[in-house]
Amino acid sequence: MLGSGGAAVMLLSGKILRVLLFMVFLAFLFQGAKSLATYSREQIIFFYLSYNLIDTLAQLFFREVYRFRSLVVSGNFDLILFKPMSPLIRVLLGGADLLDLIMLFLLTALTTAFAWQNLHPTFMDILLYVILLANSLAIAAAFHIFVLGLGIITTSVDHLIMIYRDLTSMMRIPVDLYVQPLRFLLTFVLPLGIMITFPSQAFLGLLSWQGVTVSLLFGIIAIFLSLRFWKFALTKYSSASS
Amino acid sequence: MRKYLTVFQISWQNEFVYRLNFVLLRLRNVIRLLMTYFLWQGVFLTNQTVFGYNQSQITTYIFLVLAVQALVLSAPSSDNIGSEIGSGDLSNYLVKPLGYLKYWFTRDVASKLLNLLFAVFEVAILFFLFRPVITFPASPLAVIAFLVSAILAMILYYFLSVSARFVAFWTPENTWGLAFVIIVIMETLGGSIFPLDVLPQPVYQLLQLTPFPYLIYLPIAIFSEKIVGLELVWILLQSSLWVIIMYLLTKFIWKKGLVVYQASGR
């Protein structure tokens, strides 16, 4: 839903500016530093672009989650439950935003051009990257379904979803830059590293086959558990205020 | 003055009513700090100094960002003013014997003091977790000048964010656009992620002509004694000048806004 023209242009400009400013900062950082841990400038920028791509994809598909609290608090969620369609599909995927779509096109173009120019991927690298991107979207969906379920139980979604956004923003840099046990926590407990760092590592040829398998396994388990949790949460819905 | 003291007390109590909200907000600030911290730790894995900074100086900088951000950037006004104008709720304030700008400034100060209190605890916890080497200023004058510059930054941010939210007078249905652009610029060019003097000199000098470095970077640079003597006086004067400019601009936009305000939704 595009609001008034001026405000929409401002929002889009802000989003583009945010990506470009941090990208310029990362590039500039390498004028003072030889490398960042074991990564080169091009690799670090690619990690950052991939983070933006996955983050924007998740926002494009799951933006309706941000509006879920008012439905639960007001009791208007009843009206969705009555309808002959999956309530989960409605509250998870029902609010795509045109600005996110434009942003996704711009980011895809920028990431593709950057990778083509600087990283020279093979067909296999690209294929693995695309498969793991789809897996990232599945993990992101699972996160959002968990937030929806918690929203029904606790009637508080706003801060939870923002904490999810902040946690994912930690993945603007590769997960292996974090120390243990934080790295383990971010990779395997909240599988943000699997969701955001692993696709880029696969693209750069830095992820083993075991890593790819574990990643796909996490995607399947995350979706399965989130759907079970959603079903459980629905049984706790009290239809408040209606 | 008494009525604003009452507003202060009520705001302080309000923050305690929504305790979970407050704690989650603080948690979000810590999460953001962790990304910056580990990015720089990654840099220092393979480099002794970067742009003239060593690891302890950068760590000190990042920990100070958390404290200065709590004082300068936390502001309930920026979440509410736009929607109050857009929904027509502003009318409730206009009929009361209360200055709208003073009311929100008082609420902001109450929130900032509470945030600062929590930030001190957070810095202490992070300090014991990561055991960083932190550099403290040798001169008490640096601490006093830091406090003055941080208070100026707090006032400057208030006028900056409020004037951006006043766009709602002209586009009541969409109040977020301009404020979002300002937040994005402030995040990067205010000094939250990196000290601004790592930038090439012409870029840094150009930035000093904008209000952004006075919010985060310059107060911390004063604390770190990177800015001393006559330069320190000059920076404090420039910061005061920005406060005056933004105050006049905010008052101007407020008056113009009230002329077009239609209390839509009422």
Side-chain angles (χ1 to χ4, degrees):
Chain A
M1 287 161 293
L2 200 60
S4 68
V9 169
M10 278 284 185
L11 267 177
L12 189 63
S13 313
K15 283 171 184 244
I16 295 169
L17 198 65
R18 185 165 55 183
V19 174
L20 291 181
L21 279 176
F22 197 75
M23 206 171 114
V24 168
F25 162 66
L26 286 177
F28 176 73
L29 198 57
F30 281 86
Q31 284 191 10
K34 290 187 286 289
S35 64
L36 212 160
T38 52
Y39 294 110
S40 69
R41 177 172 65 178
E42 288 71 23
Q43 288 174 327
I44 285 289
I45 291 176
F46 184 73
F47 276 110
Y48 176 61
L49 286 172
S50 269
Y51 152 76
N52 280 295
L53 205 58
I54 295 163
D55 186 51
T56 308
L57 258 173
Q59 283 193 62
L60 172 69
F61 282 104
F62 312 128
R63 189 166 282 282
E64 190 64 5
V65 175
Y66 295 67
R67 292 184 272 264
F68 186 58
R69 183 176 183 267
S70 62
L71 285 177
V72 176
V73 171
S74 65
N76 285 339
F77 186 48
D78 293 4
L79 305 174
I80 291 169
L81 289 170
F82 284 144
K83 286 181 182 158
M85 69 176 291
S86 161
L88 179 60
I89 298 289
R90 167 65 184 80
V91 295
L92 184 68
L93 301 168
D97 191 322
L98 184 59
L99 283 186
D100 289 331
L101 188 65
I102 297 171
M103 195 63 199
L104 184 66
F105 276 125
L106 293 174
L107 275 169
T108 308
L110 182 62
T111 311
T112 310
F114 182 83
W116 196 260
Q117 201 74 23
N118 298 287
L119 300 168
H120 317 294
T122 63
F123 174 75
M124 202 55 196
D125 296 334
I126 298 169
L127 185 69
L128 266 182
Y129 183 67
V130 173
I131 291 170
L132 289 183
L133 271 190
N135 189 57
S136 302
L137 197 61
I139 297 174
F143 267 119
H144 284 82
I145 295 169
F146 271 118
V147 168
L148 288 171
L150 281 171
I152 290 178
I153 295 168
T154 65
T155 68
S156 173
V157 167
D158 305 7
H159 274 294
L160 278 174
I161 197 71
M162 292 321 286
I163 284 180
Y164 158 80
R165 293 291 311 279
D166 287 332
L167 283 169
T168 53
S169 81
M170 287 176 79
M171 295 298 109
R172 284 189 280 180
I173 55 176
V175 72
D176 29 347
L177 289 186
Y178 293 92
V179 290
Q180 296 290 15
L182 190 61
R183 188 194 306 170
F184 179 83
L185 191 84
L186 289 170
T187 310
F188 297 109
V189 180
L190 302 164
L192 294 168
I194 289 179
M195 178 177 145
I196 299 172
T197 300
F198 277 27
S200 304
Q201 284 183 332
F203 187 85
L204 297 168
L206 303 172
L207 191 67
S208 62
W209 276 104
Q210 292 93 317
V212 175
T213 315
V214 165
S215 183
L216 295 173
L217 215 60
F218 258 88
I220 294 163
I221 293 170
I223 281 287
F224 174 76
L225 289 179
S226 66
L227 289 174
R228 289 295 294 255
F229 182 66
W230 169 253
K231 280 184 182 162
F232 166 75
L234 277 181
T235 64
K236 301 289 169 196
Y237 179 57
S238 62
S239 188
S241 309
S242 62
Chain B
M1 188 64 192
R2 273 180 69 103
K3 57 190 172 190
Y4 294 106
L5 273 176
T6 310
V7 169
F8 184 93
Q9 280 174 344
I10 294 170
S11 300
W12 188 272
Q13 286 162 5
N14 257 342
E15 299 277 2
F16 282 110
V17 171
Y18 301 106
R19 285 185 291 269
L20 180 65
N21 265 359
F22 185 79
V23 170
L24 290 177
L25 181 74
R26 292 306 316 163
L27 177 67
R28 296 185 57 200
N29 284 323
V30 174
I31 291 170
R32 284 183 208 152
L33 174 114
L34 287 178
M35 194 284 294
T36 315
Y37 178 77
F38 284 107
L39 172 67
W40 282 105
Q41 294 304 307
V43 169
F44 284 108
L45 275 179
T46 45
N47 302 274
Q48 290 289 319
T49 58
V50 179
F51 301 114
Y53 278 86
N54 62 31
Q55 192 167 4
S56 122
Q57 286 169 321
I58 284 287
T59 307
T60 306
Y61 185 86
I62 293 165
F63 275 71
L64 281 171
V65 165
L66 186 69
V68 175
Q69 272 186 338
L71 185 67
V72 176
L73 302 190
S74 58
S77 62
S78 43
D79 292 331
N80 290 290
I81 287 180
S83 57
E84 281 180 352
I85 296 169
S87 65
D89 286 347
L90 174 65
S91 308
N92 295 341
Y93 296 93
L94 295 179
V95 293
K96 286 178 187 163
L98 198 73
Y100 188 66
L101 287 172
K102 287 181 196 154
Y103 167 79
W104 273 114
F105 184 70
T106 312
R107 287 201 59 179
D108 275 6
V109 172
S111 170
K112 283 165 197 289
L113 287 181
L114 197 61
N115 272 285
L116 187 63
L117 206 67
F118 272 74
V120 171
F121 281 114
E122 288 156 14
V123 169
I125 292 167
L126 291 172
F127 183 82
F128 283 109
L129 277 178
F130 298 120
R131 307 250 170 210
V133 182
I134 289 188
T135 316
F136 286 96
S139 148
L141 186 71
V143 179
I144 295 166
F146 162 72
L147 289 174
V148 172
S149 65
I151 290 167
L152 285 169
M154 182 182 92
I155 303 169
L156 178 59
Y157 176 74
Y158 175 72
F159 289 129
L160 255 175
S161 68
V162 164
S163 56
R165 298 290 173 166
F166 282 168
V167 167
F169 280 119
W170 290 270
T171 56
E173 76 284 0
N174 211 324
T175 60
W176 177 229
L178 181 63
F180 180 64
V181 173
I182 288 182
I183 287 170
V184 166
I185 296 173
M186 212 160 49
E187 262 179 8
T188 320
L189 302 182
S192 294
I193 299 171
F194 59 94
L196 299 180
D197 61 347
V198 305
L199 294 170
Q201 203 56 23
V203 179
Y204 175 57
Q205 281 171 347
L206 205 68
L207 266 181
Q208 280 194 308
L209 300 176
T210 73
F212 301 112
Y214 300 90
L215 296 172
I216 305 288
Y217 169 68
L218 286 168
I220 297 176
I222 290 170
F223 184 87
S224 314
E225 295 178 289
K226 281 191 150 265
I227 294 170
V228 287
L230 208 59
E231 194 190 0
L232 172 63
V233 178
W234 183 238
I235 291 293
L236 289 178
L237 277 174
Q238 279 178 308
S239 190
S240 310
L241 187 68
W242 268 114
V243 169
I244 294 166
I245 291 171
M246 284 313 300
Y247 168 74
L248 294 174
L249 188 67
T250 308
K251 289 290 268 188
F252 176 76
I253 301 173
W254 168 249
K255 281 180 184 164
K256 290 279 175 196
L258 282 183
V259 173
V260 296
Y261 176 61
Q262 293 180 330
S264 45
R266 287 267 140 184

